[in-house]
Amino acid sequence: MTDLRLYDYAASANCYKVRLLLEQLERDYERVAIDIFDGDTLTDAYERLNPQRSTPVLELSDGRTLIESNAILWYLAAGTPLLPDDPFGQAEVCRWLIYEQSDVMPMIGGLRFRLVTGRFAPDSESAQRRRTGAHEVLRILERHLATRSFLAADRYSIADIAVYAYAHLAEEAGVDTSAYHRFHDWLERVREQPRFVDDLVPYPPNASLLAGRSIYG
Amino acid sequence: MTDLRLYDYAASANCYKVRLLLEQLERDYERVAIDIFDGDTLTDAYERLNPQRSTPVLELSDGRTLIESNAILWYLAAGTPLLPDDPFGQAEVCRWLIYEQSDVMPMIGGLRFRLVTGRFAPDSESAQRRRTGAHEVLRILERHLATRSFLAADRYSIADIAVYAYAHLAEEAGVDTSAYHRFHDWLERVREQPRFVDDLVPYPPNASLLAGRSIYG
């Protein structure tokens, strides 16, 4: 018996970040598999669960639900060492949770998804524009990490989990990360944390054929 | 003598939301005017203040700085009625702070900026695509407000301040909002809050000429 249910797509890094946190907090949960390529997010039932039709969704035992992966991280990490309890530290975490969804995910995760599903040709102008954005993200991270071991509040937190989820996939989006040494050191520090897991699965091999039915975008 | 300094562009709704909160919290602050069209964010000094070169930036009396408008809201509202103190309520607020920057601002604020500065022709494909996105945002808000008076935690909070900042400008982005009745009722409820102010100024009349020098994207 568990009090948490996670509606979860195994190949989504937004879902992976929640699974990673749950593992590090040693929390039990029920995992409900959602296949975005098989129309699972397009049903009326899923729309009632999440009008934005995104994954993941966290459902509590009392029926309340939370959407937006980084908001789910916030709820789960509250009161644990993975979320500071002072206003300034919380605001620093908040800054990275926002930047992750406004810049890191679209520039790296969005690019990777569009390449895998064939929406972008690798050398198209659209792909190049996102790749430029991805390098800007990596420059911001590299500069920030010049004087810090972790992104916020001088410690490993959900800010690192959130940004790691898509940032560590940059090479799969055709972005050369070899110049960003501090970034790589930081990836390694994240991977060295207790109970770190990486259970992200690849997109299905026929993702480019399936994508026409997907609403991810 | 004040302990807060706000680097602030008068025509930015990201800055306006911070000014609104400071007014509602009755906090004194020093306002440092930043003109994004006059290169103020392109200096080396500004890059040291904020490597992302965005506005606003909040500087504390001890020299620490915060960037990302909604993270600044979080810091200022902590411990006040405008930010819930329970993990679920905080996560709900967090959800809207993220959605505001990933969807509301780009689809409405970004569209408005590009129309004003002449980067998008009103009927261009790029403008139409963002307008479709703006209607999706308005549908999400309309649906959410069907059973609620405010966006998060059953009360007026920084979630409402953050989303209001750009959402109330939708008509200026050429988006017809007349079908969204609950949205308009909510805008009115925000305006009825104690110490509500709207001191957002228009972009300069020659913004389209000046925009070539701007890094706002």
mmCIF file of all heavy atoms in Angstrom, chain A residues 152-187:
data_model
loop_
_atom_site.group_PDB
_atom_site.id
_atom_site.type_symbol
_atom_site.label_atom_id
_atom_site.label_comp_id
_atom_site.label_asym_id
_atom_site.label_seq_id
_atom_site.Cartn_x
_atom_site.Cartn_y
_atom_site.Cartn_z
ATOM 1 N N ALA A 152 22.228 25.510 -6.641
ATOM 2 C CA ALA A 152 21.575 26.436 -5.707
ATOM 3 C C ALA A 152 21.969 26.121 -4.275
ATOM 4 O O ALA A 152 22.154 24.958 -3.903
ATOM 5 C CB ALA A 152 20.053 26.341 -5.859
ATOM 6 N N ALA A 153 22.076 27.172 -3.472
ATOM 7 C CA ALA A 153 22.161 27.048 -2.020
ATOM 8 C C ALA A 153 23.326 26.172 -1.552
ATOM 9 O O ALA A 153 23.272 25.583 -0.466
ATOM 10 C CB ALA A 153 20.835 26.508 -1.459
ATOM 11 N N ASP A 154 24.394 26.100 -2.370
ATOM 12 C CA ASP A 154 25.627 25.387 -1.971
ATOM 13 C C ASP A 154 25.421 23.931 -1.605
ATOM 14 O O ASP A 154 26.141 23.388 -0.756
ATOM 15 C CB ASP A 154 26.297 26.097 -0.770
ATOM 16 C CG ASP A 154 26.856 27.442 -1.172
ATOM 17 O OD1 ASP A 154 27.328 27.556 -2.318
ATOM 18 O OD2 ASP A 154 26.812 28.374 -0.348
ATOM 19 N N ARG A 155 24.427 23.290 -2.190
ATOM 20 C CA ARG A 155 24.236 21.865 -1.885
ATOM 21 C C ARG A 155 23.448 21.205 -3.005
ATOM 22 O O ARG A 155 22.780 21.872 -3.797
ATOM 23 C CB ARG A 155 23.475 21.721 -0.585
ATOM 24 C CG ARG A 155 22.097 22.390 -0.660
ATOM 25 C CD ARG A 155 21.163 21.820 0.381
ATOM 26 N NE ARG A 155 20.839 22.776 1.400
ATOM 27 C CZ ARG A 155 19.807 22.654 2.225
ATOM 28 N NH1 ARG A 155 19.038 21.604 2.167
ATOM 29 N NH2 ARG A 155 19.530 23.579 3.112
ATOM 30 N N TYR A 156 23.528 19.884 -3.033
ATOM 31 C CA TYR A 156 22.723 19.100 -3.961
ATOM 32 C C TYR A 156 21.252 19.275 -3.602
ATOM 33 O O TYR A 156 20.871 19.114 -2.441
ATOM 34 C CB TYR A 156 23.121 17.629 -3.852
ATOM 35 C CG TYR A 156 22.348 16.681 -4.740
ATOM 36 C CD1 TYR A 156 22.477 16.729 -6.124
ATOM 37 C CD2 TYR A 156 21.485 15.732 -4.188
ATOM 38 C CE1 TYR A 156 21.781 15.842 -6.929
ATOM 39 C CE2 TYR A 156 20.787 14.839 -4.989
ATOM 40 C CZ TYR A 156 20.938 14.909 -6.361
ATOM 41 O OH TYR A 156 20.246 14.042 -7.166
ATOM 42 N N SER A 157 20.435 19.627 -4.601
ATOM 43 C CA SER A 157 19.022 19.896 -4.340
ATOM 44 C C SER A 157 18.205 19.502 -5.565
ATOM 45 O O SER A 157 18.741 19.057 -6.584
ATOM 46 C CB SER A 157 18.807 21.387 -4.046
ATOM 47 O OG SER A 157 18.888 22.136 -5.255
ATOM 48 N N ILE A 158 16.900 19.721 -5.488
ATOM 49 C CA ILE A 158 16.042 19.441 -6.645
ATOM 50 C C ILE A 158 16.374 20.348 -7.829
ATOM 51 O O ILE A 158 16.005 20.026 -8.966
ATOM 52 C CB ILE A 158 14.543 19.538 -6.289
ATOM 53 C CG1 ILE A 158 14.194 20.891 -5.677
ATOM 54 C CG2 ILE A 158 14.128 18.376 -5.397
ATOM 55 C CD1 ILE A 158 12.676 21.122 -5.525
ATOM 56 N N ALA A 159 17.083 21.451 -7.608
ATOM 57 C CA ALA A 159 17.536 22.263 -8.748
ATOM 58 C C ALA A 159 18.480 21.438 -9.626
ATOM 59 O O ALA A 159 18.379 21.458 -10.864
ATOM 60 C CB ALA A 159 18.231 23.533 -8.257
ATOM 61 N N ASP A 160 19.389 20.696 -9.000
ATOM 62 C CA ASP A 160 20.317 19.850 -9.766
ATOM 63 C C ASP A 160 19.577 18.706 -10.453
ATOM 64 O O ASP A 160 19.848 18.394 -11.615
ATOM 65 C CB ASP A 160 21.395 19.300 -8.827
ATOM 66 C CG ASP A 160 22.177 20.409 -8.147
ATOM 67 O OD1 ASP A 160 22.959 21.080 -8.835
ATOM 68 O OD2 ASP A 160 21.966 20.631 -6.945
ATOM 69 N N ILE A 161 18.637 18.080 -9.740
ATOM 70 C CA ILE A 161 17.884 16.976 -10.345
ATOM 71 C C ILE A 161 17.126 17.476 -11.580
ATOM 72 O O ILE A 161 17.152 16.849 -12.644
ATOM 73 C CB ILE A 161 16.903 16.375 -9.312
ATOM 74 C CG1 ILE A 161 17.683 15.653 -8.207
ATOM 75 C CG2 ILE A 161 15.903 15.421 -9.993
ATOM 76 C CD1 ILE A 161 16.805 15.105 -7.075
ATOM 77 N N ALA A 162 16.454 18.627 -11.436
ATOM 78 C CA ALA A 162 15.642 19.150 -12.542
ATOM 79 C C ALA A 162 16.504 19.437 -13.769
ATOM 80 O O ALA A 162 16.170 19.027 -14.891
ATOM 81 C CB ALA A 162 14.903 20.408 -12.101
ATOM 82 N N VAL A 163 17.620 20.141 -13.574
ATOM 83 C CA VAL A 163 18.441 20.545 -14.727
ATOM 84 C C VAL A 163 19.178 19.342 -15.314
ATOM 85 O O VAL A 163 19.330 19.224 -16.535
ATOM 86 C CB VAL A 163 19.417 21.673 -14.325
ATOM 87 C CG1 VAL A 163 20.366 22.003 -15.479
ATOM 88 C CG2 VAL A 163 18.631 22.923 -13.905
ATOM 89 N N TYR A 164 19.614 18.429 -14.451
ATOM 90 C CA TYR A 164 20.323 17.241 -14.945
ATOM 91 C C TYR A 164 19.483 16.458 -15.961
ATOM 92 O O TYR A 164 20.007 15.963 -16.967
ATOM 93 C CB TYR A 164 20.689 16.338 -13.759
ATOM 94 C CG TYR A 164 21.388 15.051 -14.164
ATOM 95 C CD1 TYR A 164 22.769 15.015 -14.327
ATOM 96 C CD2 TYR A 164 20.667 13.886 -14.424
ATOM 97 C CE1 TYR A 164 23.414 13.852 -14.719
ATOM 98 C CE2 TYR A 164 21.298 12.723 -14.820
ATOM 99 C CZ TYR A 164 22.674 12.710 -14.969
ATOM 100 O OH TYR A 164 23.308 11.554 -15.371
ATOM 101 N N ALA A 165 18.186 16.364 -15.682
ATOM 102 C CA ALA A 165 17.310 15.457 -16.445
ATOM 103 C C ALA A 165 17.470 15.613 -17.961
ATOM 104 O O ALA A 165 17.643 14.626 -18.678
ATOM 105 C CB ALA A 165 15.852 15.668 -16.026
ATOM 106 N N TYR A 166 17.384 16.857 -18.470
ATOM 107 C CA TYR A 166 17.580 17.061 -19.910
ATOM 108 C C TYR A 166 19.007 17.460 -20.263
ATOM 109 O O TYR A 166 19.494 17.123 -21.348
ATOM 110 C CB TYR A 166 16.593 18.096 -20.468
ATOM 111 C CG TYR A 166 15.201 17.529 -20.637
ATOM 112 C CD1 TYR A 166 14.194 17.829 -19.734
ATOM 113 C CD2 TYR A 166 14.904 16.658 -21.683
ATOM 114 C CE1 TYR A 166 12.916 17.290 -19.864
ATOM 115 C CE2 TYR A 166 13.634 16.113 -21.833
ATOM 116 C CZ TYR A 166 12.644 16.431 -20.920
ATOM 117 O OH TYR A 166 11.391 15.886 -21.053
ATOM 118 N N ALA A 167 19.698 18.196 -19.364
ATOM 119 C CA ALA A 167 21.031 18.692 -19.710
ATOM 120 C C ALA A 167 21.994 17.549 -20.033
ATOM 121 O O ALA A 167 22.832 17.668 -20.935
ATOM 122 C CB ALA A 167 21.581 19.557 -18.571
ATOM 123 N N HIS A 168 21.845 16.418 -19.340
ATOM 124 C CA HIS A 168 22.817 15.338 -19.561
ATOM 125 C C HIS A 168 22.586 14.635 -20.899
ATOM 126 O O HIS A 168 23.369 13.780 -21.297
ATOM 127 C CB HIS A 168 22.784 14.344 -18.395
ATOM 128 C CG HIS A 168 21.779 13.239 -18.502
ATOM 129 N ND1 HIS A 168 20.433 13.416 -18.281
ATOM 130 C CD2 HIS A 168 21.911 11.923 -18.828
ATOM 131 C CE1 HIS A 168 19.793 12.274 -18.444
ATOM 132 N NE2 HIS A 168 20.666 11.352 -18.789
ATOM 133 N N LEU A 169 21.520 15.020 -21.602
ATOM 134 C CA LEU A 169 21.204 14.423 -22.906
ATOM 135 C C LEU A 169 21.668 15.294 -24.073
ATOM 136 O O LEU A 169 21.340 15.003 -25.232
ATOM 137 C CB LEU A 169 19.689 14.196 -23.016
ATOM 138 C CG LEU A 169 19.090 13.261 -21.950
ATOM 139 C CD1 LEU A 169 17.566 13.331 -21.986
ATOM 140 C CD2 LEU A 169 19.575 11.825 -22.168
ATOM 141 N N ALA A 170 22.430 16.353 -23.775
ATOM 142 C CA ALA A 170 22.772 17.321 -24.823
ATOM 143 C C ALA A 170 23.471 16.671 -26.017
ATOM 144 O O ALA A 170 23.191 17.007 -27.172
ATOM 145 C CB ALA A 170 23.633 18.444 -24.236
ATOM 146 N N GLU A 171 24.369 15.721 -25.747
ATOM 147 C CA GLU A 171 25.080 15.088 -26.869
ATOM 148 C C GLU A 171 24.106 14.350 -27.785
ATOM 149 O O GLU A 171 24.286 14.313 -29.004
ATOM 150 C CB GLU A 171 26.159 14.135 -26.348
ATOM 151 C CG GLU A 171 27.331 14.821 -25.663
ATOM 152 C CD GLU A 171 28.378 15.396 -26.646
ATOM 153 O OE1 GLU A 171 28.333 15.037 -27.835
ATOM 154 O OE2 GLU A 171 29.205 16.214 -26.197
ATOM 155 N N GLU A 172 23.063 13.761 -27.202
ATOM 156 C CA GLU A 172 22.053 13.057 -28.018
ATOM 157 C C GLU A 172 21.266 14.019 -28.892
ATOM 158 O O GLU A 172 20.578 13.590 -29.821
ATOM 159 C CB GLU A 172 21.077 12.279 -27.114
ATOM 160 C CG GLU A 172 21.706 11.092 -26.433
ATOM 161 C CD GLU A 172 20.666 10.255 -25.697
ATOM 162 O OE1 GLU A 172 19.469 10.331 -26.033
ATOM 163 O OE2 GLU A 172 21.066 9.527 -24.777
ATOM 164 N N ALA A 173 21.328 15.308 -28.564
ATOM 165 C CA ALA A 173 20.674 16.319 -29.408
ATOM 166 C C ALA A 173 21.677 16.921 -30.394
ATOM 167 O O ALA A 173 21.402 17.945 -31.017
ATOM 168 C CB ALA A 173 20.065 17.409 -28.523
ATOM 169 N N GLY A 174 22.839 16.277 -30.516
ATOM 170 C CA GLY A 174 23.836 16.747 -31.482
ATOM 171 C C GLY A 174 24.576 17.991 -31.025
ATOM 172 O O GLY A 174 25.115 18.732 -31.838
ATOM 173 N N VAL A 175 24.600 18.231 -29.724
ATOM 174 C CA VAL A 175 25.284 19.402 -29.172
ATOM 175 C C VAL A 175 26.632 18.948 -28.615
ATOM 176 O O VAL A 175 26.684 18.083 -27.742
ATOM 177 C CB VAL A 175 24.442 20.056 -28.050
ATOM 178 C CG1 VAL A 175 25.179 21.258 -27.471
ATOM 179 C CG2 VAL A 175 23.068 20.458 -28.574
ATOM 180 N N ASP A 176 27.699 19.529 -29.132
ATOM 181 C CA ASP A 176 29.048 19.175 -28.679
ATOM 182 C C ASP A 176 29.312 19.844 -27.325
ATOM 183 O O ASP A 176 29.429 21.065 -27.236
ATOM 184 C CB ASP A 176 30.064 19.652 -29.726
ATOM 185 C CG ASP A 176 31.505 19.369 -29.292
ATOM 186 O OD1 ASP A 176 31.710 18.769 -28.205
ATOM 187 O OD2 ASP A 176 32.423 19.763 -30.033
ATOM 188 N N THR A 177 29.418 19.046 -26.260
ATOM 189 C CA THR A 177 29.581 19.604 -24.912
ATOM 190 C C THR A 177 31.025 19.536 -24.429
ATOM 191 O O THR A 177 31.302 19.836 -23.268
ATOM 192 C CB THR A 177 28.692 18.836 -23.899
ATOM 193 O OG1 THR A 177 29.167 17.472 -23.806
ATOM 194 C CG2 THR A 177 27.231 18.832 -24.327
ATOM 195 N N SER A 178 31.951 19.177 -25.333
ATOM 196 C CA SER A 178 33.316 18.886 -24.866
ATOM 197 C C SER A 178 34.014 20.108 -24.270
ATOM 198 O O SER A 178 34.945 19.966 -23.474
ATOM 199 C CB SER A 178 34.144 18.299 -26.010
ATOM 200 O OG SER A 178 34.168 19.197 -27.108
ATOM 201 N N ALA A 179 33.574 21.313 -24.627
ATOM 202 C CA ALA A 179 34.241 22.514 -24.113
ATOM 203 C C ALA A 179 33.793 22.888 -22.706
ATOM 204 O O ALA A 179 34.396 23.760 -22.077
ATOM 205 C CB ALA A 179 33.978 23.697 -25.057
ATOM 206 N N TYR A 180 32.763 22.227 -22.213
ATOM 207 C CA TYR A 180 32.161 22.652 -20.932
ATOM 208 C C TYR A 180 32.625 21.722 -19.807
ATOM 209 O O TYR A 180 31.932 20.797 -19.399
ATOM 210 C CB TYR A 180 30.634 22.680 -21.062
ATOM 211 C CG TYR A 180 30.153 23.535 -22.219
ATOM 212 C CD1 TYR A 180 29.670 22.953 -23.393
ATOM 213 C CD2 TYR A 180 30.210 24.927 -22.144
ATOM 214 C CE1 TYR A 180 29.251 23.746 -24.463
ATOM 215 C CE2 TYR A 180 29.800 25.716 -23.211
ATOM 216 C CZ TYR A 180 29.323 25.114 -24.367
ATOM 217 O OH TYR A 180 28.922 25.892 -25.422
ATOM 218 N N HIS A 181 33.834 21.988 -19.305
ATOM 219 C CA HIS A 181 34.458 21.068 -18.353
ATOM 220 C C HIS A 181 33.773 21.072 -16.995
ATOM 221 O O HIS A 181 33.595 20.025 -16.374
ATOM 222 C CB HIS A 181 35.939 21.431 -18.185
ATOM 223 C CG HIS A 181 36.693 21.372 -19.481
ATOM 224 N ND1 HIS A 181 36.948 20.183 -20.123
ATOM 225 C CD2 HIS A 181 37.190 22.352 -20.275
ATOM 226 C CE1 HIS A 181 37.599 20.428 -21.248
ATOM 227 N NE2 HIS A 181 37.756 21.741 -21.369
ATOM 228 N N ARG A 182 33.420 22.276 -16.526
ATOM 229 C CA ARG A 182 32.755 22.328 -15.208
ATOM 230 C C ARG A 182 31.389 21.670 -15.276
ATOM 231 O O ARG A 182 30.936 21.072 -14.312
ATOM 232 C CB ARG A 182 32.617 23.776 -14.754
ATOM 233 C CG ARG A 182 33.951 24.405 -14.419
ATOM 234 C CD ARG A 182 33.816 25.914 -14.440
ATOM 235 N NE ARG A 182 35.071 26.584 -14.302
ATOM 236 C CZ ARG A 182 35.342 27.762 -14.873
ATOM 237 N NH1 ARG A 182 34.432 28.357 -15.638
ATOM 238 N NH2 ARG A 182 36.510 28.329 -14.692
ATOM 239 N N PHE A 183 30.737 21.824 -16.405
ATOM 240 C CA PHE A 183 29.451 21.162 -16.610
ATOM 241 C C PHE A 183 29.610 19.649 -16.470
ATOM 242 O O PHE A 183 28.829 18.993 -15.772
ATOM 243 C CB PHE A 183 28.918 21.547 -18.000
ATOM 244 C CG PHE A 183 27.741 20.751 -18.482
ATOM 245 C CD1 PHE A 183 26.491 20.914 -17.912
ATOM 246 C CD2 PHE A 183 27.883 19.830 -19.518
ATOM 247 C CE1 PHE A 183 25.397 20.175 -18.357
ATOM 248 C CE2 PHE A 183 26.799 19.091 -19.966
ATOM 249 C CZ PHE A 183 25.555 19.267 -19.378
ATOM 250 N N HIS A 184 30.639 19.096 -17.095
ATOM 251 C CA HIS A 184 30.856 17.649 -16.990
ATOM 252 C C HIS A 184 31.211 17.229 -15.563
ATOM 253 O O HIS A 184 30.762 16.182 -15.089
ATOM 254 C CB HIS A 184 31.933 17.193 -17.985
ATOM 255 C CG HIS A 184 31.392 17.013 -19.370
ATOM 256 N ND1 HIS A 184 30.678 15.903 -19.743
ATOM 257 C CD2 HIS A 184 31.416 17.828 -20.454
ATOM 258 C CE1 HIS A 184 30.296 16.037 -21.010
ATOM 259 N NE2 HIS A 184 30.728 17.189 -21.462
ATOM 260 N N ASP A 185 31.997 18.067 -14.876
ATOM 261 C CA ASP A 185 32.305 17.749 -13.466
ATOM 262 C C ASP A 185 31.025 17.726 -12.637
ATOM 263 O O ASP A 185 30.863 16.891 -11.743
ATOM 264 C CB ASP A 185 33.272 18.799 -12.886
ATOM 265 C CG ASP A 185 34.657 18.679 -13.496
ATOM 266 O OD1 ASP A 185 34.949 17.646 -14.133
ATOM 267 O OD2 ASP A 185 35.447 19.636 -13.345
ATOM 268 N N TRP A 186 30.135 18.673 -12.931
ATOM 269 C CA TRP A 186 28.861 18.742 -12.189
ATOM 270 C C TRP A 186 27.987 17.519 -12.498
ATOM 271 O O TRP A 186 27.407 16.923 -11.577
ATOM 272 C CB TRP A 186 28.143 20.053 -12.541
ATOM 273 C CG TRP A 186 26.720 20.118 -12.094
ATOM 274 C CD1 TRP A 186 26.263 20.365 -10.822
ATOM 275 C CD2 TRP A 186 25.556 19.932 -12.904
ATOM 276 N NE1 TRP A 186 24.892 20.335 -10.803
ATOM 277 C CE2 TRP A 186 24.425 20.074 -12.066
ATOM 278 C CE3 TRP A 186 25.352 19.665 -14.269
ATOM 279 C CZ2 TRP A 186 23.119 19.952 -12.543
ATOM 280 C CZ3 TRP A 186 24.054 19.536 -14.744
ATOM 281 C CH2 TRP A 186 22.964 19.685 -13.890
ATOM 282 N N LEU A 187 27.902 17.126 -13.780
ATOM 283 C CA LEU A 187 27.152 15.905 -14.121
ATOM 284 C C LEU A 187 27.667 14.734 -13.277
ATOM 285 O O LEU A 187 26.883 13.938 -12.746
ATOM 286 C CB LEU A 187 27.310 15.561 -15.610
ATOM 287 C CG LEU A 187 26.682 16.472 -16.667
ATOM 288 C CD1 LEU A 187 26.977 15.924 -18.072
ATOM 289 C CD2 LEU A 187 25.179 16.623 -16.476
#
